Amino acid sequence: MKVLVIGGGGREHALAWKLAQSPRVTRVYVAPGNGGTALDERLVNVPITDVVALREWAQKEHIALSVVGPEGPLAAGVVDEFRAHGLRVFGPTKAAAQLESSKAFSKAFMQRHGIPTAEYQTFSDPAQAHAYVDAKGAPIVVKADGLAAGKGVVVATTLAEAHEAIDFMLVDNTLGVAHNEGGARVVIEEFLSGEEASFIVLCDGKNVTAMATSQDHKRLQDGDQGPNTGGMGAYSPAPVVTADVHARAMREIILPTIRGMEKDGIAYTGFLYAGLMIDAQGRPKTLEFNCRLGDPETQPLLMRLKSDLFEVLWAATEPGPHGKLDQVELEWDRRIALGVVLAAHGYPLSPRKGDAITGLPAAEPDAVVFHAGTQRDADGTVRVSGGRVLCVTVLADKVKLAQQRAYEVVRGIQFDGMQYRRDIGHRAVR
């Protein structure tokens, strides 16, 4: 069967790599793909990003199953378009994807359904937003209401930083946020302290299957310093998600979200990612929802997944009122998976493109370099084309061994201005 992965980042490279391992899959197409998917002979890049054109192509090619990677096509309604023409696709509808595409929608939804999250207010008027920040004090969190490629969140440790973030998002739109209807808005919420974890599940409209736990590293520099990014590396499993925390997250956050969406008349299908903040007492609160797999969490997660991903997604998209995820059991490698992101010069605010990349190793069973922001020239040169460029992902028996192995691979790769953290997995070691 032919499969289509929609997107062109590191998450999509990992999805395509995993789907290609299924005995039932004859060909994996990636639209638009990247330099890494171009290098893999089992994968074929399709240079189409327009939703309708892609649907027409998928019909013509008799694509059996499509999987949506990034938030942009979801917010543009790619799932609705594919389904309306009888195509089997895994992902949330445009209405369901508002859990990610609109922070204001998401916070109001959580408040309405009693899902634990930070106290907040929404503003479109800069003066009112500035006054609220002055009244509340710092630290405080300012979020753009719209899609900002993982960069629309500022954790302001001072009032000056919070005021600057409000002007960035409401006045200048320096971050290039894709605003929702009604123009620029910000959500300002209380700062939650604790340890973050990524809690990702698959949903088929009714049934929910949890993936392995993982933890991302959002800050650019070692020791969780520097600006927030889309993620500088991740590992799985995350020790902070104990069995008790896992049970609470399912009971208090995930299941009420799925039931709440159902109650609101918006059945949720696809991956659902809850960014959790876990306090010292092991109580999780929801920082945000993403309606997709996390990037870079996907890369370590799919390295650990032993089950056939195609069979899992095929069950989840069974025709009917909902899929058959309840008939699927996910099997995980007991080893640790760890991924180190290599980012471009100037990332996150102004990544430089065009630098040539050398020293890329061949994939091995326990070490794969997933591409995110890369493109391949006609002469075979691989170049930087985005902010997060590569994710070096390895499997090993212990976290320290995984770190050693990953950084060994990293040292062999070169491009000008390459940035990466040297402490991915530090919390798990501690």
Side-chain angles (χ1 to χ4, degrees):
M1 285 197 243
K2 294 193 221 173
V3 175
L4 170 66
V5 174
I6 298 171
R11 163 188 44 234
E12 290 77 46
H13 186 186
L15 280 165
W17 168 84
K18 186 67 185 170
L19 286 161
Q21 294 168 21
S22 172
R24 288 182 68 194
V25 172
T26 53
R27 177 68 78 197
V28 179
Y29 296 92
V30 195
N34 59 38
T37 52
L39 288 167
D40 190 326
E41 65 210 21
R42 299 167 305 169
L43 313 178
V44 179
N45 284 356
V46 178
I48 304 172
T49 51
D50 177 77
V51 165
V52 174
L54 196 55
R55 184 265 300 162
E56 289 171 348
W57 177 89
Q59 283 180 298
K60 192 167 93 280
E61 285 293 330
H62 303 292
I63 298 296
L65 174 70
S66 299
V67 186
V68 191
E71 62 275 30
L74 292 171
V78 70
V79 170
D80 310 66
E81 176 69 24
F82 273 50
R83 280 197 192 149
H85 291 84
L87 289 165
R88 201 160 171 152
V89 58
F90 188 68
T93 59
K94 184 177 182 173
Q98 286 180 100
L99 274 178
E100 175 172 12
S101 64
S102 171
K103 296 279 189 285
F105 172 92
S106 176
K107 294 296 282 192
F109 171 86
M110 286 190 263
Q111 197 172 47
R112 196 164 62 248
H113 293 285
I115 294 158
T117 189
E119 178 198 319
Y120 80 103
Q121 287 284 331
T122 302
F123 300 94
S124 52
D125 181 312
Q128 290 177 0
H130 286 304
Y132 182 78
V133 160
D134 283 332
K136 288 291 179 184
I140 198 161
V141 182
V142 184
K143 295 179 175 180
D145 179 37
L147 297 177
K151 296 186 287 290
V153 177
V154 172
V155 180
T157 52
T158 65
L159 285 174
E161 274 184 289
H163 290 306
E164 183 186 38
I166 291 165
D167 289 337
F168 258 5
M169 294 174 194
L170 282 184
V171 184
D172 317 328
N173 194 16
T174 313
L175 296 173
V177 179
H179 292 303
N180 294 302
E181 285 167 30
R185 284 190 298 192
V186 291
V187 170
I188 302 178
E189 56 183 48
E190 71 171 311
F191 172 79
L192 297 177
S193 58
E195 199 168 334
E196 280 190 57
S198 309
F199 200 94
I200 304 173
V201 300
L202 299 101
C203 316
D204 65 6
K206 181 185 178 190
N207 305 297
V208 180
T209 299
M211 297 193 74
T213 60
S214 56
Q215 189 170 54
D216 187 8
H217 299 60
K218 287 286 183 200
R219 300 285 188 159
L220 181 69
Q221 292 150 2
D222 290 2
D224 299 317
Q225 300 298 306
N228 241 15
T229 70
M232 292 301 292
Y235 62 92
S236 173
V240 68
V241 184
T242 60
D244 181 53
V245 170
H246 194 285
R248 287 188 77 149
M250 285 297 282
R251 186 174 68 243
E252 297 171 15
I253 295 169
I254 299 296
L255 292 173
T257 299
I258 301 305
R259 304 293 168 255
M261 290 295 275
E262 211 174 355
K263 210 176 280 181
D264 292 353
I266 310 170
Y268 193 94
T269 56
F271 294 107
L272 180 66
Y273 167 130
L276 305 180
M277 182 63 83
I278 300 156
D279 70 12
Q281 287 74 45
R283 292 177 303 218
K285 279 191 177 178
T286 318
L287 291 171
E288 63 175 1
F289 285 118
N290 291 332
C291 295
R292 54 189 164 88
L293 283 169
D295 188 349
E297 294 97 331
T298 306
Q299 293 88 314
L301 283 173
L302 294 186
M303 285 282 280
R304 286 190 64 216
L305 182 65
K306 291 173 85 170
S307 310
D308 183 325
L309 182 62
F310 174 80
E311 297 292 356
V312 173
L313 300 183
W314 192 253
T317 53
E318 271 293 326
H322 55 78
K324 294 184 176 170
L325 264 181
D326 53 334
Q327 297 174 20
V328 169
E329 192 83 33
L330 296 184
E331 195 188 340
W332 300 95
D333 195 309
R334 290 179 175 277
R335 289 175 292 175
I336 307 285
L338 184 141
V340 178
V341 167
L342 309 184
H345 174 85
Y347 180 75
L349 281 179
S350 50
R352 186 174 71 202
K353 298 176 183 177
D355 290 309
I357 304 165
T358 57
L360 289 167
E364 294 178 38
D366 63 347
V368 181
V369 179
F370 292 109
H371 290 233
T374 69
Q375 66 183 46
R376 191 178 181 216
D377 292 351
D379 67 0
T381 306
V382 178
R383 295 188 184 276
V384 172
S385 68
R388 285 178 297 166
V389 182
L390 302 165
C391 184
V392 173
T393 312
V394 303
L395 279 169
D397 289 324
K398 293 206 162 54
V399 179
K400 281 209 155 157
L401 291 172
Q403 287 175 321
Q404 285 166 12
R405 180 86 175 95
Y407 288 108
E408 204 177 280
V409 178
V410 167
R411 282 192 291 275
I413 300 169
Q414 291 93 33
F415 59 87
D416 285 347
M418 183 167 95
Q419 303 185 75
Y420 63 92
R421 282 182 57 160
R422 289 156 178 81
D423 66 347
I424 301 301
H426 67 92
R427 288 197 193 90
V429 172
R430 192 180 69 217

